[in-house]
């Protein structure tokens, strides 16, 4: 059974001016997402800037999210690391504070082998009892989960039930879907490729776009799953420009700027990320206005 079906938001972590977590605003964003039909909250992922969080803060943000959501939708915690030991420890802590599932990115920088990926996910799985979503994003990590490896892991490693596919390689996703034959759930990790992945049997999307249009992303996925392809296609295509603007600089720089424009207190991004350039602010502002959300 899927951890979730539909649109899960890869949620930002809002910061105060002193760079601490703005928990009050975080709670507001969580509530607004759920009120607008988001199907899952993915906390402390790339968009949540987990790579800049000390362990204590990382766990605190996950726990706050779990407590705030209070069972309304699944909470999936980002716990992957370039160090297997750290990924195991964080995964255990996320389970202890009540996360419903884990999103575990491939080890970054190390560039481990396919056998190394297998052992990495097995070590995490052996340490927890909640479902795990693998995260394939080679543009950030330098490592690709090959379709054959993903299927091997799904079949042989307990708890690994899904993959977030952000490789951008639709041919590889098609091969994965063919080899898997339903043994693994596939989520799009790219907002401009949701429908192609749904057409290959995907369960939904882990989305940045959902920050600015949660109801539309949810509706798009369910329109497709309900057989209303025309509506789903319309919702996907009319969002292409705003999706492009949300990735005009490295994520989460633009989406935090977008949330500030929409009246949230998202705050700044943490170093080494920098604020959105003035030129891109204008691009983003125009895209949000044209899309009808600003």
């Amino acid at each position: 059974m899927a951890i979730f079906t539909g649109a899960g938001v890869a949620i930002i972590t809002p910061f105060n001016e002193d760079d601490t977590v703005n928990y009050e605003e975080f709670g507001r964003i969580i509530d607004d997402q759920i009120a607008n039909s988001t199907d899952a909250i993915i906390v402390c992922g790339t968009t949540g800037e987990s790579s800049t969080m000390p362990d204590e803060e990382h766990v605190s943000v996950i726990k706050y999210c779990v407590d705030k959501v209070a069972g309304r939708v699944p909470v999936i915690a980002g716990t992957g690391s370039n160090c297997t030991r750290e990924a195991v420890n964080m995964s255990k802590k996320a389970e202890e504070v009540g996360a419903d599932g884990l999103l575990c990115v491939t080890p970054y920088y190390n560039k481990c082998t396919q056998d190394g990926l297998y052992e990495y996910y097995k070590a995490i799985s052996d340490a927890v009892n909640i479902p795990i979503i693998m995260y394939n994003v080679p543009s950030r990590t330098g490592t690709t989960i090959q379709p054959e490896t993903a299927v091997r892991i799904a079949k042989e490693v307990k708890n690994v039930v899904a993959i977030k596919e952000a490789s951008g390689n639709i041919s590889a996703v098609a091969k994965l879907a063919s080899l898997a034959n339903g043994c693994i759930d596939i989520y799009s990790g790219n907002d401009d490729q949701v429908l192609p992945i749904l057409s290959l049997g995907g369960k939904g999307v882990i989305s940045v776009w959902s920050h600015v249009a949660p109801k539309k992303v949810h509706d798009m996925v369910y329109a497709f799953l309900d057989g209303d392809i025309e509506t789903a296609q319309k919702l996907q295509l009319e969002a292409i420009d705003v999706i492009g603007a949300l990735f005009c600089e490295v994520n989460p720089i633009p989406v935090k700027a977008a949330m500030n424009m929409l009246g949230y207190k998202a705050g700044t991004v943490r170093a080494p990320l920098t604020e959105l350039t003035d030129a891109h602010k204008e691009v983003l502002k125009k895209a949000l206005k044209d899309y009808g959300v600003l």
Side-chain angles (χ1 to χ4, degrees):
M1 185 176 181
I3 300 178
F4 76 95
T5 299
V9 63
I11 202 160
I12 63 166
T13 306
F15 297 129
N16 294 304
E17 289 184 6
D18 64 359
D19 211 32
T20 58
V21 176
N22 185 337
Y23 286 102
E24 181 177 357
E25 194 67 2
F26 190 36
R28 177 190 171 204
I29 294 168
I30 290 168
D31 282 341
D32 284 356
Q33 285 289 313
I34 295 173
N36 285 282
S37 301
T38 283
D39 299 292
I41 306 289
I42 293 80
V43 61
C44 290
T46 304
T47 313
E49 299 180 75
S50 59
S51 60
T52 67
M53 291 181 177
D55 284 358
E56 184 178 349
E57 182 183 62
H58 193 153
V59 175
S60 176
V61 172
I62 294 170
K63 184 179 187 307
Y64 179 88
C65 186
V66 169
D67 292 345
K68 184 67 177 177
V69 170
R72 289 176 288 172
V73 297
V75 174
I76 300 160
T79 58
S81 173
N82 67 319
C83 172
T84 298
R85 181 179 62 252
E86 291 301 317
V88 166
N89 289 339
M90 187 56 63
S91 297
K92 290 167 67 175
K93 290 175 182 176
E95 181 179 29
E96 288 169 4
V97 299
D100 298 292
L102 305 174
L103 177 67
C104 295
V105 70
T106 58
Y108 38 88
Y109 185 76
N110 311 63
K111 299 184 75 172
C112 64
T113 64
Q114 297 299 297
D115 284 343
L117 290 174
Y118 179 91
E119 295 298 335
Y120 169 78
Y121 285 109
K122 186 177 186 303
I124 297 169
S125 176
D126 286 346
V128 299
N129 296 298
I130 53 177
I132 297 165
I133 303 174
M134 297 180 285
Y135 183 11
N136 189 33
V137 58
S139 65
R140 283 187 179 268
T141 65
T143 301
T144 299
I145 308 175
Q146 297 296 338
E148 295 84 355
T149 303
V151 172
R152 178 192 174 202
I153 292 169
K155 288 183 175 180
E156 297 181 11
V157 178
K158 72 178 182 70
N159 303 336
V160 176
V161 300
I163 186 167
K164 177 184 176 182
E165 246 301 337
S167 67
N169 186 341
I170 293 297
S171 296
V173 178
K175 184 173 183 180
L176 167 60
S178 175
L179 292 172
N181 194 28
C183 79
I184 187 169
D185 292 333
I186 303 173
Y187 297 100
S188 176
N190 292 325
D191 282 315
D192 60 351
Q193 295 182 346
V194 184
L195 254 60
I197 287 179
L198 289 174
S199 75
L200 296 168
K203 291 288 186 181
V205 59
I206 295 176
S207 174
V208 174
W209 167 29
S210 282
H211 284 91
V212 303
K215 184 71 164 58
K216 288 187 176 183
V217 187
H218 164 89
D219 287 351
M220 178 191 67
V221 174
Y222 274 91
F224 185 94
L225 296 176
D226 291 340
D228 186 356
I229 308 304
E230 184 177 353
T231 295
Q233 183 186 69
K234 178 178 181 292
L235 289 167
Q236 175 79 89
L237 294 180
E238 72 181 8
I240 291 299
D241 287 347
V242 77
I243 292 168
L246 287 169
F247 291 91
C248 64
E249 291 183 25
V250 68
N251 180 49
I253 293 172
V255 70
K256 291 196 92 169
M259 292 294 275
N260 284 321
M261 290 176 187
L262 294 176
Y264 293 94
K265 298 174 183 176
T268 61
V269 288
R270 281 182 172 167
L273 298 183
T274 53
E275 292 304 294
L276 193 66
T277 64
D278 289 341
H280 281 147
K281 283 179 184 176
E282 293 305 312
V283 169
L284 179 60
K285 188 178 296 184
K286 182 179 186 304
L288 293 170
K289 285 181 177 178
D290 290 348
Y291 191 51
V293 295
L294 182 62

